[in-house]
C-alpha cells in the first residue's frame, strides 16, 4: 500500500465519524490552547520587565563601590580595558541649588562632572550644546517646568487638592516657564543641606543645554549640571558658610560605561578579577532569566496536564475505531498487509487529530493573546484609574515561536502516544476471527 493509499484510507475513516473526530479534535485544541496561553503569561511578564530594565538610559553603566579613592592611574587602567567607553566621576554637592529667573525660582540638585566625559556618556542633548565656558551650565529636561512664581504655586496647590480628592496626582506640568531656557541667564545660590537657613551669594550662569527627557514618565529632572572645574569655588563657598571640610561638601561616585550592552558582562568580569567592587543593572537580567525559566517550565507543566486530559479522548476514539474496523483489519491482513502497516495507519489517524488540534489551537492562542493585550490594559485602567496600565509597554501575553514549537511537540507527541496502544491492539487481531465478524 503506497503512501497515497494509506492517506486515503485514514481520511476516509475520519470522514465516516465526523462528529466523534470533531469532538476529539476540539478536546485536543482546548488542551493545547490552554498550554500556550498559560505559558504566554510567563513570556509576557518577562518581556515587560526586561524592556523596563533595558529602557533605562544607564543600562551600559557599571557602578563602582568604594571608588572615592580612585587615582588617575586606576582610571587609566580601567579605560585601557577593551570596550570601556569612559570612566565618569559624578560629584554630588551636599546642597540645594536655588535658581532665580525673572519672578520665578526653583530648587534643584547640583552635580559637577567632567563635561567631556559627560558628553561621551549622554550624547546629544534635547536642546542646546555642552558648556565651553566656566559660567555655562546644563539643566534637566523639566527645569523650565519647575521655574514657578507665586501665581503658579497657587494654581498647582488648587489642582493638587482637587486631584487628591479624586484619588489621583497632579505633577504641575501645565505651569512653569513655557519658553525655551537656552541662552537665558539665571542667578544661582546654594543652600546647605546641613544648614538650610543660610544661603551663599548669587552667581550668574547662562543655560546652554537641556538634557534628554528621562526614561520614566513619572521622573521630574530639574538637575543643574556644572563642569567639575567649578568644584574648588563651590567647595570654598559652602565650607565658609557652614564651617565644614570639603569632604563633607561633596560626594563622589565613579561609574564605568561600556560602549554597548553586549560588552557590559565581559567588562564586569574583568573588573571583578582586578579586585574592584562593581555592579551593573544587567546582572538583574541574569537573575530574572533564571527565575522566569523556572516559572515558564512550571506553567508549561501545568498546561501539559490539560493536554494529557485531552489525550484520554484520543485514546477512546482510537480504541473505538479499532473495535469498529475489526473486519477491515482482518481483510487487510488476509491480503498481505503487515502488522507495521496496520499500526502505521492507526498512528497516522491519531497524529492527524493531534496536528489538526494543534493548528487550530495556535490560531486561537494568538487571537486570545492579541485580545488580552488590547483589552486588559483598558479594563485595569477603568478599574484602578491609573494611566500606567494603558501603556503599550505592558505585555500581558507573548507567544514566541519557541513556545509554539514546544506546545506543538507536546500536543502532537501526546496524540501519537495516545494512539499507540490501540494501534498495537489492531496488529494483534486474529484474521479468522476478524473475518467471521458480522458487518
Amino acid at each position: 500500500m503506497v503512501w497515497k493509499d494509506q492517506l486515503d484510507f485514514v481520511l476516509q475513516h475520519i470522514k465516516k465519524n465526523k462528529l466523534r473526530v470533531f469532538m476529539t479534535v476540539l478536546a485536543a485544541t482546548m488542551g493545547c490552547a490552554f498550554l500556550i496561553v498559560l505559558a504566554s503569561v510567563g513570556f509576557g511578564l518577562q518581556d515587560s520587565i526586561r524592556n523596563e530594565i533595558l529602557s533605562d538610559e544607564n543600562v551600559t553603566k557599571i557602578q563602582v563601590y568604594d571608588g572615592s579613592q580612585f587615582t588617575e592611574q586606576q582610571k587609566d587602567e580601567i579605560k585601557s580595558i577593551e570596550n570601556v567607553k569612559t570612566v565618569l566621576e559624578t560629584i554630588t554637592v551636599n546642597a540645594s541649588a536655588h535658581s532665580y529667573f525673572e519672578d520665578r525660582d526653583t530648587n534643584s540638585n547640583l552635580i559637577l562632572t567632567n563635561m567631556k566625559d559627560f558628553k561621551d556618556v549622554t550624547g546629544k542633548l534635547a536642546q542646546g550644546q555642552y558648556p565651553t565656558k566656566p559660567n555655562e551650565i546644563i539643566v534637566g529636561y523639566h527645569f523650565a517646568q519647575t521655574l514657578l512664581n507665586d501665581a503658579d504655586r497657587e494654581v498647582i496647590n488648587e489642582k493638587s487638592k482637587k486631584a487628591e480628592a479624586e484619588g489621583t496626582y497632579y505633577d504641575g506640568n501645565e505651569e512653569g516657564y513655557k519658553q525655551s531656557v537656552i541662552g537665558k541667564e539665571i542667578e544661582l545660590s546654594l543652600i546647605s543641606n546641613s544648614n538650610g537657613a543660610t544661603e551663599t551669594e548669587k552667581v550668574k550662569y547662562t543655560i546652554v543645554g537641556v538634557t534628554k527627557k528621562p526614561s520614566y514618565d513619572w521622573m521630574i529632572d530639574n538637575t543643574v549640571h556644572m563642569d567639575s572645574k567649578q568644584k574648588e569655588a563651590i567647595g570654598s563657598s559652602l565650607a565658609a558658610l557652614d564651617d565644614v571640610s570639603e569632604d563633607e561638601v561633596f560626594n563622589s561616585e565613579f561609574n564605568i560605561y561600556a560602549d554597548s550592552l553586549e560588552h557590559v558582562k565581559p567588562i564586569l568580569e574583568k573588573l571583578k578579577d582586578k579586585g574592584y567592587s562593581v555592579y551593573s543593572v544587567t546582572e538583574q537580567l541574569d537573575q530574572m532569566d533564571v527565575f522566569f525559566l523556572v516559572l515558564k517550565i512550571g506553567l508549561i507543566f501545568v498546561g501539559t496536564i490539560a493536554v494529557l486530559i485531552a489525550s484520554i479522548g484520543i485514546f477512546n476514539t482510537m480504541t473505538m475505531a479499532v473495535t469498529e474496523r475489526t473486519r477491515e483489519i482482518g481483510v487487510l491482513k488476509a491480503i498481505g498487509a503487515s502488522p507495521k502497516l496496520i499500526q502505521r495507519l492507526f498512528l497516522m489517524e491519531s497524529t492527524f487529530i493531534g496536528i489538526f488540534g494543534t493548528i487550530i489551537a495556535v490560531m486561537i492562542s494568538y487571537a486570545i493573546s492579541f485580545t488580552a493585550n488590547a483589552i486588559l490594559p483598558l479594563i485595569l485602567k477603568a478599574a484602578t484609574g491609573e494611566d500606567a496600565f494603558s501603556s503599550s509597554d505592558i505585555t500581558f501575553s507573548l507567544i514566541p515561536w519557541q513556545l509554539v514549537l514546544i506546545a506543538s511537540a507536546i500536543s502532537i507527541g501526546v496524540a501519537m502516544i495516545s494512539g499507540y496502544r490501540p494501534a498495537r491492539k489492531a496488529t494483534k487481531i486474529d484474521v479468522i476471527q476478524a473475518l467471521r465478524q458480522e458487518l
Side-chain angles (χ1 to χ4, degrees), residues 271-289:
L271 289 170
K272 287 178 180 178
D273 291 340
K274 292 179 180 290
Y276 291 102
S277 299
V278 290
Y279 169 79
S280 170
V281 69
T282 55
E283 290 184 306
Q284 293 181 21
L285 295 177
D286 295 333
Q287 299 169 3
M288 184 191 72
D289 289 342

Side-chain angles (χ1 to χ4, degrees), residues 167-188:
T168 58
Y169 170 76
Y170 179 65
D171 62 1
N173 59 9
E174 296 178 2
E175 282 69 45
Y177 187 69
K178 296 304 179 184
Q179 299 179 31
S180 173
V181 294
I182 299 296
K184 298 294 191 294
E185 188 177 71
I186 65 170
E187 290 185 310
L188 188 145

Side-chain angles (χ1 to χ4, degrees), residues 101-159:
F101 176 69
E102 297 178 352
D103 63 336
R104 303 172 180 271
D105 68 299
T106 185
N107 288 300
S108 316
N109 292 324
L110 177 60
I111 292 178
L112 308 179
T113 187
N114 183 293
M115 282 299 163
K116 182 180 178 301
D117 293 337
F118 187 61
K119 182 179 180 180
D120 290 340
V121 171
T122 309
K124 188 178 180 181
L125 297 170
Q127 297 178 43
Q129 61 184 20
Y130 287 89
T132 56
K133 299 177 182 178
N135 68 327
E136 293 179 342
I137 59 173
I138 298 174
V139 295
Y141 185 85
H142 299 98
F143 183 82
Q145 177 184 316
T146 61
L147 275 173
L148 306 174
N149 53 27
D150 292 338
D152 286 337
R153 289 186 174 90
E154 288 180 8
V155 173
I156 291 175
N157 188 42
E158 291 176 3
K159 289 183 178 180

